[in-house]
Each structure stands twice: as structure tokens, then as C-alpha cells.
Amino acid sequence: LLNGYFTLGEMRYVEAAERTAATLMRLQAPEGCWPYAATYDPETKTFEKQTPNAVGLQDHVQAHPTLLLMLLHRITGKAAYKEAADKGLAFILRTQNPNGSWSHHWNVEAGIGEAAQSKYKNAGELNDDATQDHMTMVLLAYRVTGDVTYLAAFLRAADWVKSAFIDKKGKGWAQQYDENNVPIPARHFEPPAISLSEGARSIPRVLMLAYGVTGDRGYLEPCRKWRQWMLDNRVFTNDEKTAWGWHTYYDPETGEPYRMVKKERLPVDPKDVREGGVTSLLREIADVEKPRPAPLPPEEYARRQ
């Protein structure tokens, strides 16, 4: 809705987004967090929150409501949006793990981050952008407020993402880790393996973002190692070798692909090869240190918009 407003300049999109914000503010807990979902009862006009003690950190559950409220405050100037967004940001800061990551969910009662298998505490999660989303949010908060607390949180997370890189025969990142950076399983089809599943493409991008903020080329080292390994392990899907893709999971020790079905390790399906936009990401990594083009003059920028 706000993209519609920014693109077309029509206030009806802001008004619709404000109706969404009104519901979000009703659902926000005193701790500043949102439930993964809630069911509305039209007769009592109340919400029943789902799993109120396990607050989701992946799937944008905290990041996107906070971002919407930040943007609405910027557009409307209404203090209530800033107050709710600040509470959301405070919750994001509070739920960062000691190693810099964020977990699959936050156990409100125990006050600790947990993996999908909740026996793993302070578990780092990359699946569904759990850590990457919150890195983006705290960096945005730093740029808006100038508060270095947010910048420090971003850099701790970037250091963790760098440390979580698997540099064996297989190279890349797992979907989730225990507090000692050992890959762990999640759902029955999600093994403790190098993954190209949900959230994988945002991992190198947050490291490139950390390089852009600091100028520290150390953040680029795992990206470049991953890029070369990915190029070397393409699965070509035509005889001309002009089209390619990859499997979803790779064994860190051997670099071999495999799949999991009901917790059983199986050979890959030769037809299950996806490009998934990875090739353009590999180009981004190759070009990360190239000078950026000069900004367009305002008149030309407006014309293109």
C-alpha cells in the first residue's frame, strides 16, 4: 500500500495502510512484539493471538510491522506510530542472541531465543530472513536516529553471519545453527546442511551491506568463496551449457547434494534444479567493489520515475 502511495502519490493508499496499522497496534504486546497470527471475532470485536508465548522472529513477523509504522510516522507525523515502532525496535534489540544472531522465535516466558526445535537455545537462524531482516531494521534505525546502539547490533550480527560461513568441501550457510555455530535440523525436510532454500540469497547481501557501511573487505571473503563454489557446482540444464541451476541442500563435508524426506536422507531428484535468481546475486558479488555510477540529475531521475 505504501509503495502505491510513493509511486502514485494517492492518499487513499496511506489511509488503507493506516487501517492496517490500527490493527497492528491493537495486536502489539506490551513487550513491543507481535504474534505470528491472530483470529478476529467479529461479535466480540477482539483478537485471539496464536502461540502468544512463542513470538516469531522469522517470516518478517517483527520487522515488517515495525517498518510499516516507521514509514507511516514519516508520512503522517503521528506520534502514535513512532511510539509503536520504537517499541518494536526495542524488542528487536532485546531479542538479539549473545553471538549476534536472531533465533527462529523468542520464548517470552523464558526470555531466550529458540530454534524451531526449541531444545536449541540462543540458536542462530537464517531461514526465512530471521537474522537478515533484523539486521536491515537496526541499520535503518541507526540511519534514522543516529543512535550507535543500532549500528553496534548490526555489526555484531554481520560478524556472526561471517563466522557462520561453512568453508569445507561444501561452502555456504546452513538454515539454522546451535549457539556454537553447528548446523542443526528443523522441519523433516530441512537437514543440517548447506542450504539454498528460504533466505539464502539475502545472506551475502547483508555481508555486502556490512562492507558498504564499514569498508572492511573481510565481510566480502565468504561471499567470494561462496560465489566461486557456486559457479563450480552449477548443474547445467541444456546441452549448450547456457542454462543452469542448483540443488537445495549440500553436505558440508563432501559437497555432495542430497534431499531429506521425513528425516530420511535421499539422493537428489535430477529434475529438481533451480536457478532461483542466484546468478544475478553472483554478479552482484563480483561487482561489489566497482565504483557506483553517479546519481542522476533530479530532472532526469523524475522523468525516469
Side-chain angles (χ1 to χ4, degrees), residues 32 125 243 258 272:
E125 186 88 10
Y258 68 98
D272 189 15

Side-chain angles (χ1 to χ4, degrees), residues 3-59:
N3 280 337
Y5 166 71
F6 289 132
T7 304
L8 303 173
E10 297 179 20
M11 284 301 296
R12 63 192 179 110
Y13 295 113
V14 175
E15 292 163 2
E18 287 195 270
R19 291 197 293 275
T20 299
T23 294
L24 287 172
M25 288 191 291
R26 285 185 64 185
L27 287 171
Q28 190 177 27
E31 298 87 356
C33 57
W34 284 273
Y36 194 91
T39 303
Y40 181 69
D41 184 338
E43 292 187 5
T44 62
K45 298 184 179 179
T46 58
F47 288 95
E48 180 182 350
K49 299 178 182 179
Q50 295 180 10
T51 58
N53 193 49
V55 176
L57 297 174
Q58 63 166 18
D59 280 336

Side-chain angles (χ1 to χ4, degrees), residues 25 35 37 50 55 61 64 84 106 135 148 199 203 206 211 256 305:
M25 288 191 291
Q50 295 180 10
V55 176
V61 178
H64 282 189
W106 180 258
M135 288 179 69
V148 295
I203 300 168
V206 293
Y211 162 72
E256 295 299 316
Q305 290 293 95

Side-chain angles (χ1 to χ4, degrees), residues 74-95:
R74 176 182 166 189
I75 294 166
T76 68
K78 294 179 181 177
Y81 296 141
K82 182 179 186 303
E83 181 181 345
D86 286 347
K87 288 169 63 178
L89 289 169
F91 180 78
I92 288 171
L93 282 180
R94 189 163 66 253
T95 54

Side-chain angles (χ1 to χ4, degrees), residues 4-279:
Y5 166 71
F6 289 132
T7 304
L8 303 173
E10 297 179 20
M11 284 301 296
R12 63 192 179 110
Y13 295 113
V14 175
E15 292 163 2
E18 287 195 270
R19 291 197 293 275
T20 299
T23 294
L24 287 172
M25 288 191 291
R26 285 185 64 185
L27 287 171
Q28 190 177 27
E31 298 87 356
C33 57
W34 284 273
Y36 194 91
T39 303
Y40 181 69
D41 184 338
E43 292 187 5
T44 62
K45 298 184 179 179
T46 58
F47 288 95
E48 180 182 350
K49 299 178 182 179
Q50 295 180 10
T51 58
N53 193 49
V55 176
L57 297 174
Q58 63 166 18
D59 280 336
H60 330 292
V61 178
Q62 309 307 321
H64 282 189
T66 304
L67 178 59
L68 174 65
L69 292 162
M70 290 176 74
L71 289 169
L72 280 173
H73 174 254
R74 176 182 166 189
I75 294 166
T76 68
K78 294 179 181 177
Y81 296 141
K82 182 179 186 303
E83 181 181 345
D86 286 347
K87 288 169 63 178
L89 289 169
F91 180 78
I92 288 171
L93 282 180
R94 189 163 66 253
T95 54
Q96 188 174 24
N97 291 323
N99 64 10
S101 67
W102 278 268
S103 295
H104 173 274
H105 64 267
W106 180 258
N107 185 319
V108 175
E109 193 172 289
I112 197 167
E114 297 176 337
Q117 295 187 22
S118 57
K119 66 180 180 179
Y120 297 106
K121 312 298 183 183
N122 292 322
E125 186 88 10
L126 292 165
N127 192 26
D128 289 325
D129 295 307
T131 292
Q132 304 93 300
D133 258 350
H134 297 115
M135 288 179 69
T136 305
M137 289 306 304
V138 293
L139 183 59
L140 172 62
Y142 167 67
R143 288 174 169 166
V144 169
T145 67
D147 186 340
V148 295
T149 303
Y150 295 114
L151 177 61
F154 171 80
L155 294 176
R156 283 199 305 274
D159 289 341
W160 176 77
V161 173
K162 180 183 171 186
S163 74
F165 179 68
I166 298 168
D167 191 4
K168 299 181 179 180
K169 285 190 177 179
K171 299 186 189 299
W173 289 268
Q175 289 175 295
Q176 50 274 321
Y177 299 78
D178 70 10
E179 62 182 332
N180 298 310
N181 277 9
V182 177
I184 56 177
R187 292 172 288 187
H188 74 85
F189 56 88
E190 294 175 323
I194 290 168
S195 172
L196 295 178
S197 189
E198 300 97 329
R201 284 167 291 284
S202 61
I203 300 168
R205 287 191 171 108
V206 293
L207 288 179
M208 289 189 283
L209 191 57
Y211 162 72
V213 170
T214 65
D216 183 351
R217 289 189 175 91
Y219 291 118
L220 300 180
E221 183 179 351
C223 300
R224 287 172 169 153
K225 286 183 177 181
W226 179 74
R227 175 181 179 273
Q228 189 58 55
W229 189 83
M230 292 291 289
L231 289 173
D232 292 343
N233 286 272
R234 286 176 290 180
V235 179
F236 293 99
T237 54
N238 62 1
D239 293 337
E240 297 78 19
K241 294 187 175 182
T242 57
W244 53 79
W246 293 269
H247 296 289
T248 302
Y249 295 110
Y250 291 83
D251 187 308
E253 302 297 333
T254 66
E256 295 299 316
Y258 68 98
R259 62 192 172 104
M260 291 286 283
V261 178
K262 296 182 179 179
K263 298 184 179 181
E264 180 183 359
R265 179 167 171 162
L266 300 173
V268 293
D269 180 351
K271 296 180 181 179
D272 189 15
V273 176
R274 302 175 186 176
E275 191 277 332
V278 172
T279 305

